[in-house]
Amino acid sequence: MTSSNAYLSGLFALDGRVALVTGGSSGIGRAVAGALARAGASVVVVARRERELADTVAELTADGCRAAWVSGDLGSRDGVRAAAEDAVAVFGEPDILVNSAGINLRPPLGELGEDVWDATMAVNLEAPFLLGQRFGPRMAERGFGRIIHISSQQAHRAFVQSGAYGVSKGGLESLARSQAEAWSPYGVTCNTLVPGFVMTPLNARLSADPERVAALAARTMTGRNGVAEDFAGAAVFLASGASAYVTGQSIHVDGGLSVH
Ligand SMILES: NC(=O)c1ccc[n+]([C@@H]2O[C@H](COP(=O)([O-])OP(=O)(O)OC[C@H]3O[C@@H](n4cnc5c(N)ncnc54)[C@H](OP(=O)(O)O)[C@@H]3O)[C@@H](O)[C@H]2O)c1
């Protein structure tokens, strides 16, 4: 190994670590799962649809990575608990937890029923809370852990009907700070990555409108919208030893959208 490779691997390599990535079968979660696995972690991806999960894992194992999938519905407390135990059964307790599973149902607040509110909070906020309660204390006991949430610019401002979605993401960033306060003394950092507009299946409808896409790109500083792979480097950094002194933070990966 060259000296620069040894140095970089000392900072960022995830060999020997176990990661659980919710929503790891699509979009940002899939890119993050791939990044963590290629950086050396054994990765379990959790979502509902088996085909997408199996495709993701096949791609990673073909690349020589250690990866597996668990199908589970994070929309109910029992579903979260079952998925967590199924995931642990594969490679053991996770050192790294990434909460990327999310839904955006988009009705304007005035038309938003309690069903949409409940579904949004369950997947976007309650599942990360429950998984944190399950894994955070054990990470703290072992003296190392990394919890990474994927929130949204809508945690910070209203955007195309933030409705319940923006509320859930605001709560998620607060959750990261509470978790950071609880477990950082024991080597467990908890942070949030904040996307702007990323071309993924989540916003397929908006992405299909070239004028809207161009207008959103123009609002960034880089002149383009995000792609899922933009999250790879930031995720590896937050999952690695290199970020030991970074905790409770919301880190925008958005081409400058939030500050433009
Ligand atoms: N794309 C953007 O512009 C953008 C912007 C800001 C924030 N975000 C956030 O980034 C995260 C990832 O979004 P994305 O754009 O990558 O979306 P995506 O491509 O639609 O991926 C969402 C993932 O969540 C999983 N999921 C959804 N509901 C679930 C449930 N009940 N149980 C288990 N898994 C579930 C999906 O798999 P199944 O459907 O198979 O379950 C899928 O793997 C989300 O939290 C989203 O809010 C995205």
Side-chain angles (χ1 to χ4, degrees):
M1 200 186 277
T2 64
S3 64
S4 67
N5 280 349
Y7 177 70
L8 287 172
S9 121
L11 279 174
F12 300 119
L14 302 178
D15 297 293
R17 300 289 187 206
V18 172
L20 189 170
V21 181
T22 75
S25 60
S26 178
I28 295 169
R30 182 167 176 157
V32 167
L36 302 185
R38 292 182 176 100
S42 301
V43 177
V44 185
V45 289
V46 177
R48 289 166 301 179
R49 288 167 300 161
E50 299 194 354
R51 176 119 172 249
E52 284 74 4
L53 285 161
D55 282 354
T56 306
V57 168
E59 183 193 314
L60 292 177
T61 45
D63 260 13
C65 298
R66 213 161 161 242
W69 58 269
V70 162
S71 174
D73 186 352
L74 302 175
S76 77
R77 290 181 178 175
D78 285 345
V80 174
R81 285 191 262 271
E85 298 320 315
D86 289 350
V88 167
V90 186
F91 298 127
E93 291 280 326
D95 308 293
I96 302 157
L97 167 65
V98 180
N99 290 300
S100 188
I103 53 172
N104 189 353
L105 302 170
R106 295 186 202 275
L109 199 59
E111 296 158 22
L112 195 140
E114 290 173 14
D115 51 342
V116 169
W117 175 270
D118 288 345
T120 304
M121 294 304 157
V123 178
N124 294 6
L125 183 55
E126 227 174 69
F129 162 69
L130 292 171
L131 293 172
Q133 295 302 98
R134 170 64 182 78
F135 297 123
R138 295 190 197 206
M139 291 176 181
E141 265 171 39
R142 294 195 304 276
F144 179 92
R146 297 285 183 265
I147 299 180
I148 304 167
H149 304 290
I150 311 296
S151 87
S152 166
Q153 59 163 325
Q154 292 175 56
H156 302 265
R157 64 175 177 206
F159 173 79
V160 290
Q161 304 303 343
S162 288
Y165 178 81
V167 182
S168 71
K169 295 298 188 177
L172 189 60
E173 292 194 26
S174 295
L175 175 67
R177 288 187 286 269
S178 294
Q179 292 174 327
E181 185 183 30
W183 299 317
S184 297
Y186 311 103
V188 183
T189 65
C190 309
N191 292 288
T192 307
L193 291 176
V194 190
F197 181 71
V198 189
M199 308 285 275
T200 70
L202 185 84
N203 49 40
R205 212 175 29 163
L206 204 54
S207 303
D209 179 344
E211 275 180 30
R212 296 292 304 277
V213 168
L216 286 164
R219 283 173 54 186
T220 67
M221 291 177 174
T222 50
R224 68 166 175 86
N225 292 308
V227 292
E229 289 66 31
D230 287 321
F231 293 81
V236 170
F237 168 64
L238 287 182
S240 71
S243 61
Y245 202 54
V246 179
T247 195
Q249 302 302 310
S250 297
I251 300 173
H252 294 254
V253 179
D254 66 356
L257 177 77
S258 54
V259 288
H260 200 198

